[in-house]
Amino acid sequence: MISGGIVRRVRGTDVPMNGPAIEARRIANFLPLPVRRAGANIVHNVDDKYTGIRIDTKRGPIVLEIPADDESPYRLVHQLPEPNETGRTEVEMRRFPQIYKPQGVALTMGEFLLSRGFLS
């Protein structure tokens, strides 16, 4: 969990049990092996108000942001270590509609990262 800029590991009864957190766990169960090996973690960012799956790749961290409402799509975001020339700290790479099942989101995300050279 990220709160106040501080990262904390949450276990047991402190783990969020809201809709996005449950959906993130469902998707994480179906991630392809290269994504799991890269170290996929579920994050609950209170500061930026999202729950997602974070993968630390060789080109920087990638986050699949899980939407909290029924209309927003999933977002696959590349978080930049430093703000770029325009001041952006993240680059949205892909969107997935919520009509996909967790297996489809996990497979599409894994294939996207493998085909773009984020994972080896």
Side-chain angles (χ1 to χ4, degrees), residues 12-44:
T13 59
D14 295 333
V15 175
M17 291 302 290
N18 56 12
I22 293 168
E23 188 68 15
R25 289 185 200 99
R26 279 191 198 133
I27 293 169
N29 285 332
F30 295 106
L31 288 173
L33 186 59
V35 178
R36 288 185 188 190
R37 269 198 224 138
N41 296 311
I42 296 175
V43 294
H44 309 284

Short mmCIF file of all heavy atoms in Angstrom, two decimals, residues 12-44:
data_model
loop_
_atom_site.label_atom_id
_atom_site.label_comp_id
_atom_site.label_asym_id
_atom_site.label_seq_id
_atom_site.Cartn_x
_atom_site.Cartn_y
_atom_site.Cartn_z
N GLY A 12 -2.72 -9.97 5.82
CA GLY A 12 -3.77 -10.35 6.77
C GLY A 12 -5.04 -9.54 6.63
O GLY A 12 -5.55 -9.33 5.55
N THR A 13 -5.54 -9.06 7.75
CA THR A 13 -6.82 -8.36 7.77
C THR A 13 -6.73 -6.93 7.25
O THR A 13 -7.76 -6.30 7.01
CB THR A 13 -7.40 -8.32 9.19
OG1 THR A 13 -6.46 -7.65 10.04
CG2 THR A 13 -7.65 -9.73 9.70
N ASP A 14 -5.52 -6.39 7.04
CA ASP A 14 -5.36 -5.02 6.54
C ASP A 14 -5.45 -4.92 5.02
O ASP A 14 -5.48 -3.82 4.48
CB ASP A 14 -4.01 -4.45 7.00
CG ASP A 14 -3.95 -4.30 8.50
OD1 ASP A 14 -5.02 -4.14 9.12
OD2 ASP A 14 -2.84 -4.36 9.06
N VAL A 15 -5.48 -6.05 4.33
CA VAL A 15 -5.53 -6.05 2.86
C VAL A 15 -6.89 -5.53 2.40
O VAL A 15 -7.93 -5.98 2.88
CB VAL A 15 -5.29 -7.47 2.32
CG1 VAL A 15 -5.45 -7.51 0.83
CG2 VAL A 15 -3.92 -7.96 2.72
N PRO A 16 -6.91 -4.58 1.46
CA PRO A 16 -8.20 -4.09 0.95
C PRO A 16 -8.99 -5.20 0.28
O PRO A 16 -8.44 -6.02 -0.45
CB PRO A 16 -7.80 -3.03 -0.07
CG PRO A 16 -6.42 -2.64 0.29
CD PRO A 16 -5.78 -3.85 0.91
N MET A 17 -10.29 -5.23 0.53
CA MET A 17 -11.16 -6.24 -0.07
C MET A 17 -12.24 -5.58 -0.93
O MET A 17 -13.35 -6.08 -1.00
CB MET A 17 -11.80 -7.10 1.03
CG MET A 17 -10.83 -8.00 1.75
SD MET A 17 -9.97 -9.13 0.66
CE MET A 17 -11.29 -10.21 0.20
N ASN A 18 -11.91 -4.47 -1.58
CA ASN A 18 -12.88 -3.81 -2.44
C ASN A 18 -12.84 -4.45 -3.83
O ASN A 18 -12.03 -5.34 -4.12
CB ASN A 18 -12.61 -2.31 -2.50
CG ASN A 18 -11.21 -1.99 -2.94
OD1 ASN A 18 -10.48 -2.84 -3.41
ND2 ASN A 18 -10.82 -0.74 -2.79
N GLY A 19 -13.72 -4.01 -4.72
CA GLY A 19 -13.82 -4.59 -6.05
C GLY A 19 -12.54 -4.57 -6.87
O GLY A 19 -12.15 -5.61 -7.42
N PRO A 20 -11.84 -3.42 -6.96
CA PRO A 20 -10.59 -3.41 -7.73
C PRO A 20 -9.51 -4.34 -7.16
O PRO A 20 -8.76 -4.94 -7.91
CB PRO A 20 -10.14 -1.94 -7.66
CG PRO A 20 -11.39 -1.18 -7.44
CD PRO A 20 -12.26 -2.07 -6.59
N ALA A 21 -9.44 -4.46 -5.84
CA ALA A 21 -8.43 -5.34 -5.23
C ALA A 21 -8.71 -6.80 -5.57
O ALA A 21 -7.80 -7.57 -5.88
CB ALA A 21 -8.41 -5.13 -3.72
N ILE A 22 -9.97 -7.19 -5.53
CA ILE A 22 -10.34 -8.56 -5.87
C ILE A 22 -10.08 -8.83 -7.35
O ILE A 22 -9.55 -9.88 -7.72
CB ILE A 22 -11.81 -8.82 -5.50
CG1 ILE A 22 -11.97 -8.77 -3.97
CG2 ILE A 22 -12.30 -10.14 -6.06
CD1 ILE A 22 -13.40 -8.73 -3.50
N GLU A 23 -10.40 -7.86 -8.21
CA GLU A 23 -10.16 -8.00 -9.64
C GLU A 23 -8.66 -8.10 -9.94
O GLU A 23 -8.24 -8.88 -10.79
CB GLU A 23 -10.77 -6.84 -10.41
CG GLU A 23 -10.74 -6.98 -11.90
CD GLU A 23 -11.63 -8.09 -12.43
OE1 GLU A 23 -12.51 -8.58 -11.71
OE2 GLU A 23 -11.45 -8.45 -13.60
N ALA A 24 -7.83 -7.34 -9.23
CA ALA A 24 -6.38 -7.41 -9.41
C ALA A 24 -5.86 -8.80 -9.05
O ALA A 24 -5.00 -9.34 -9.74
CB ALA A 24 -5.69 -6.34 -8.56
N ARG A 25 -6.38 -9.38 -8.00
CA ARG A 25 -5.97 -10.74 -7.61
C ARG A 25 -6.40 -11.77 -8.65
O ARG A 25 -5.66 -12.70 -8.96
CB ARG A 25 -6.54 -11.10 -6.24
CG ARG A 25 -5.88 -10.33 -5.13
CD ARG A 25 -6.37 -10.81 -3.76
NE ARG A 25 -6.09 -9.77 -2.79
CZ ARG A 25 -6.98 -8.88 -2.36
NH1 ARG A 25 -8.23 -8.94 -2.76
NH2 ARG A 25 -6.64 -7.96 -1.50
N ARG A 26 -7.60 -11.59 -9.20
CA ARG A 26 -8.07 -12.51 -10.25
C ARG A 26 -7.16 -12.45 -11.47
O ARG A 26 -6.79 -13.48 -12.04
CB ARG A 26 -9.48 -12.14 -10.69
CG ARG A 26 -10.55 -12.64 -9.79
CD ARG A 26 -11.90 -12.44 -10.46
NE ARG A 26 -12.93 -12.52 -9.46
CZ ARG A 26 -13.93 -11.66 -9.33
NH1 ARG A 26 -14.03 -10.64 -10.15
NH2 ARG A 26 -14.82 -11.81 -8.39
N ILE A 27 -6.82 -11.25 -11.90
CA ILE A 27 -5.96 -11.09 -13.08
C ILE A 27 -4.56 -11.65 -12.79
O ILE A 27 -3.97 -12.33 -13.62
CB ILE A 27 -5.89 -9.61 -13.51
CG1 ILE A 27 -7.26 -9.16 -14.01
CG2 ILE A 27 -4.82 -9.39 -14.58
CD1 ILE A 27 -7.39 -7.67 -14.21
N ALA A 28 -4.03 -11.38 -11.60
CA ALA A 28 -2.68 -11.84 -11.24
C ALA A 28 -2.58 -13.36 -11.27
O ALA A 28 -1.51 -13.91 -11.56
CB ALA A 28 -2.30 -11.30 -9.87
N ASN A 29 -3.66 -14.05 -10.98
CA ASN A 29 -3.64 -15.52 -11.01
C ASN A 29 -3.44 -16.07 -12.42
O ASN A 29 -3.00 -17.21 -12.57
CB ASN A 29 -4.95 -16.08 -10.44
CG ASN A 29 -5.00 -15.98 -8.94
OD1 ASN A 29 -3.97 -15.99 -8.28
ND2 ASN A 29 -6.19 -15.86 -8.40
N PHE A 30 -3.75 -15.28 -13.45
CA PHE A 30 -3.64 -15.76 -14.82
C PHE A 30 -2.48 -15.14 -15.59
O PHE A 30 -2.40 -15.33 -16.81
CB PHE A 30 -4.95 -15.46 -15.57
CG PHE A 30 -6.12 -16.22 -15.03
CD1 PHE A 30 -7.09 -15.58 -14.28
CD2 PHE A 30 -6.25 -17.58 -15.25
CE1 PHE A 30 -8.17 -16.27 -13.77
CE2 PHE A 30 -7.33 -18.29 -14.75
CZ PHE A 30 -8.29 -17.63 -14.01
N LEU A 31 -1.59 -14.43 -14.93
CA LEU A 31 -0.46 -13.80 -15.63
C LEU A 31 0.46 -14.87 -16.21
O LEU A 31 0.71 -15.89 -15.59
CB LEU A 31 0.33 -12.91 -14.68
CG LEU A 31 -0.35 -11.61 -14.27
CD1 LEU A 31 0.48 -10.91 -13.20
CD2 LEU A 31 -0.55 -10.70 -15.47
N PRO A 32 0.99 -14.64 -17.42
CA PRO A 32 1.94 -15.58 -18.01
C PRO A 32 3.21 -15.68 -17.17
O PRO A 32 3.56 -14.76 -16.42
CB PRO A 32 2.24 -14.98 -19.38
CG PRO A 32 1.13 -14.04 -19.66
CD PRO A 32 0.65 -13.55 -18.34
N LEU A 33 3.93 -16.78 -17.32
CA LEU A 33 5.12 -17.04 -16.51
C LEU A 33 6.19 -15.94 -16.61
O LEU A 33 6.74 -15.54 -15.58
CB LEU A 33 5.70 -18.40 -16.89
CG LEU A 33 6.87 -18.88 -16.05
CD1 LEU A 33 6.46 -18.98 -14.57
CD2 LEU A 33 7.37 -20.22 -16.55
N PRO A 34 6.52 -15.40 -17.79
CA PRO A 34 7.54 -14.33 -17.83
C PRO A 34 7.15 -13.10 -17.01
O PRO A 34 8.01 -12.45 -16.41
CB PRO A 34 7.64 -13.97 -19.31
CG PRO A 34 7.14 -15.17 -20.03
CD PRO A 34 6.11 -15.79 -19.15
N VAL A 35 5.86 -12.79 -16.95
CA VAL A 35 5.41 -11.64 -16.16
C VAL A 35 5.54 -11.96 -14.68
O VAL A 35 5.98 -11.13 -13.88
CB VAL A 35 3.95 -11.27 -16.51
CG1 VAL A 35 3.46 -10.12 -15.66
CG2 VAL A 35 3.84 -10.93 -17.98
N ARG A 36 5.20 -13.18 -14.29
CA ARG A 36 5.35 -13.57 -12.88
C ARG A 36 6.80 -13.56 -12.45
O ARG A 36 7.14 -13.17 -11.35
CB ARG A 36 4.75 -14.96 -12.66
CG ARG A 36 3.26 -14.97 -12.72
CD ARG A 36 2.75 -16.32 -12.37
NE ARG A 36 1.32 -16.40 -12.61
CZ ARG A 36 0.57 -17.40 -12.22
NH1 ARG A 36 1.10 -18.41 -11.58
NH2 ARG A 36 -0.71 -17.40 -12.47
N ARG A 37 7.69 -14.04 -13.35
CA ARG A 37 9.12 -14.05 -13.03
C ARG A 37 9.68 -12.65 -12.86
O ARG A 37 10.61 -12.44 -12.09
CB ARG A 37 9.89 -14.76 -14.14
CG ARG A 37 10.04 -16.20 -13.89
CD ARG A 37 11.15 -16.75 -14.76
NE ARG A 37 10.67 -17.99 -15.33
CZ ARG A 37 10.84 -18.37 -16.56
NH1 ARG A 37 11.50 -17.62 -17.40
NH2 ARG A 37 10.38 -19.52 -16.99
N ALA A 38 9.13 -11.69 -13.58
CA ALA A 38 9.60 -10.31 -13.48
C ALA A 38 9.23 -9.69 -12.15
O ALA A 38 9.76 -8.64 -11.78
CB ALA A 38 9.03 -9.48 -14.62
N GLY A 39 8.33 -10.31 -11.41
CA GLY A 39 7.97 -9.81 -10.09
C GLY A 39 6.72 -8.97 -10.10
O GLY A 39 6.77 -7.78 -9.79
N ALA A 40 5.61 -9.55 -10.46
CA ALA A 40 4.33 -8.83 -10.45
C ALA A 40 3.83 -8.69 -9.02
O ALA A 40 3.76 -9.68 -8.29
CB ALA A 40 3.31 -9.57 -11.31
N ASN A 41 3.49 -7.48 -8.62
CA ASN A 41 2.97 -7.20 -7.27
C ASN A 41 1.68 -6.41 -7.38
O ASN A 41 1.54 -5.56 -8.26
CB ASN A 41 3.97 -6.36 -6.46
CG ASN A 41 5.25 -7.10 -6.20
OD1 ASN A 41 5.24 -8.24 -5.77
ND2 ASN A 41 6.36 -6.46 -6.47
N ILE A 42 0.76 -6.69 -6.47
CA ILE A 42 -0.48 -5.91 -6.42
C ILE A 42 -0.22 -4.70 -5.53
O ILE A 42 0.30 -4.84 -4.43
CB ILE A 42 -1.63 -6.76 -5.88
CG1 ILE A 42 -1.91 -7.91 -6.85
CG2 ILE A 42 -2.88 -5.91 -5.68
CD1 ILE A 42 -2.93 -8.89 -6.38
N VAL A 43 -0.54 -3.51 -6.04
CA VAL A 43 -0.32 -2.27 -5.30
C VAL A 43 -1.64 -1.54 -5.10
O VAL A 43 -2.51 -1.57 -5.96
CB VAL A 43 0.69 -1.33 -6.01
CG1 VAL A 43 2.06 -1.94 -6.04
CG2 VAL A 43 0.24 -0.98 -7.39
N HIS A 44 -1.78 -0.92 -3.95
CA HIS A 44 -2.93 -0.09 -3.62
C HIS A 44 -2.38 1.31 -3.34
O HIS A 44 -1.85 1.55 -2.27
CB HIS A 44 -3.68 -0.63 -2.40
CG HIS A 44 -4.01 -2.07 -2.51
ND1 HIS A 44 -5.04 -2.53 -3.30
CD2 HIS A 44 -3.46 -3.17 -1.95
CE1 HIS A 44 -5.10 -3.84 -3.21
NE2 HIS A 44 -4.15 -4.25 -2.41
#
